[in-house]
Amino acid sequence: MKLAVYMMAMLASAPALAADQPPAPTVMTVEGEQGFDVKCHVWPRGGDETVRFLDKSRPSLSVNGVWRLECEYKGSSRGPITISLKSPTLPCPFKDSSAEACTTTVRKGGVGSFEVREKRS
């Protein structure tokens, strides 16, 4: 009897426990020829702004609960680069991306920037 009551209590609390799980991290990757530089200001929920630098030796970042992301990039002089963003909290900032993947290709030597903020409902 005690076991049955305990099991029912555990099942009833399972959805509440699942709701407290943190969202998947925001992941940004840069692929391409040596020589690109990306500088991002990252604002995680409940934390301070940090600056992340991406290049061929460190081509990705992964941060939980991002609500704002601002990046400046300089493409490689050797060829194009591809920037990909996957986030449960941020919309895709790239106009030329497909519905399946949030990516953009930066031409050889291209420069630019983007800013994206969490959509508020």
Side-chain angles (χ1 to χ4, degrees), residues 7-83:
M7 293 298 285
M8 287 176 30
M10 289 300 292
L11 289 173
S13 66
L17 293 175
D20 292 340
Q21 296 296 320
T26 292
V27 177
M28 189 173 96
T29 57
V30 184
E31 297 175 339
E33 296 290 329
Q34 183 85 21
F36 65 82
D37 290 302
V38 180
K39 176 183 174 183
C40 293
H41 294 261
V42 182
W43 285 267
R45 194 174 294 115
D48 293 329
E49 172 192 3
T50 59
V51 178
R52 294 291 197 61
F53 296 93
L54 305 179
D55 57 24
K56 191 71 172 176
S57 67
R58 179 172 280 200
S60 67
L61 66 83
S62 178
V63 181
N64 288 323
V66 174
W67 69 272
R68 183 176 173 190
L69 179 67
E70 291 181 9
C71 298
E72 298 174 357
Y73 54 83
K74 180 182 75 124
S76 171
S77 61
R78 298 180 183 173
I81 63 170
T82 301
I83 301 173

Side-chain angles (χ1 to χ4, degrees), residues 106-117:
V106 179
R107 65 178 163 60
K108 176 180 170 179
V111 296
S113 64
F114 64 89
E115 177 182 354
V116 63
R117 293 175 186 240

